[in-house]
Amino acid sequence: TVQLVESGGGSVQAGGSLRLSCVAYGYTYSRCVAWFRQAPGKEREGVAKIQSFSGTTYYTDSVKGRFTISQDNAKNTVYLEMESLKPEDTAMYYCAYQARSYCSDGWAEHEYNYWGQGTQVTVSS
């Protein structure tokens, strides 16, 4: 069983930055870790993911050039650096985990075996 603990959310003004963290307990060696987000009244959407063994990353178009996903395997931690934040980035952000070497294509939620409880990000204009 894998447990995911997220932190780093908060309230910032547009143009600001935040760093989210996801710590995995009881992790598997082969893994893909992703960040999803869900704004009020909207569907949950994939944001970024990282393939642990290779470090290969993937991003949804709306965050490319602004968000960076990274990993520190010694700390069993995945980060999401968010810069140039916009009000439309306001959402609950969730860490999700696949117990496999290669990330699945796309952003299908059912492909992820474990989920964190979420951390709130609020961006004001």
Side-chain angles (χ1 to χ4, degrees):
T1 301
V2 175
Q3 182 181 1
L4 305 175
V5 180
E6 300 129 314
S7 63
S11 181
V12 298
Q13 294 191 59
S17 301
L18 285 173
R19 185 182 73 167
L20 307 184
S21 298
C22 173
V23 181
Y25 298 90
Y27 66 95
T28 58
Y29 181 78
S30 300
R31 58 194 178 274
C32 169
V33 182
W35 288 95
F36 286 74
R37 66 185 181 186
Q38 187 169 26
K42 295 186 177 181
E43 296 293 313
R44 184 147 45 189
E45 63 175 347
V47 176
K49 55 188 174 183
I50 185 165
Q51 205 160 254
S52 182
F53 82 96
S54 66
T56 302
T57 58
Y58 307 85
Y59 301 91
T60 193
D61 287 344
S62 64
V63 308
K64 287 179 180 177
R66 299 189 298 120
F67 290 11
T68 303
I69 188 170
S70 62
Q71 63 186 350
D72 184 342
N73 288 328
K75 297 181 179 179
N76 299 326
T77 302
V78 170
Y79 303 98
L80 185 67
E81 298 276 359
M82 304 185 294
E83 299 178 336
S84 301
L85 283 162
K86 305 174 181 180
E88 51 262 46
D89 295 318
T90 296
M92 184 72 74
Y93 283 71
Y94 299 91
C95 183
Y97 183 110
Q98 293 182 328
R100 54 182 286 173
S101 295
Y102 291 87
C103 297
S104 58
D105 292 339
W107 303 97
E109 295 177 41
H110 68 85
E111 297 284 357
Y112 291 84
N113 307 104
Y114 305 99
W115 291 80
Q117 293 300 304
T119 185
Q120 178 68 40
V121 172
T122 302
V123 185
S124 60
S125 60

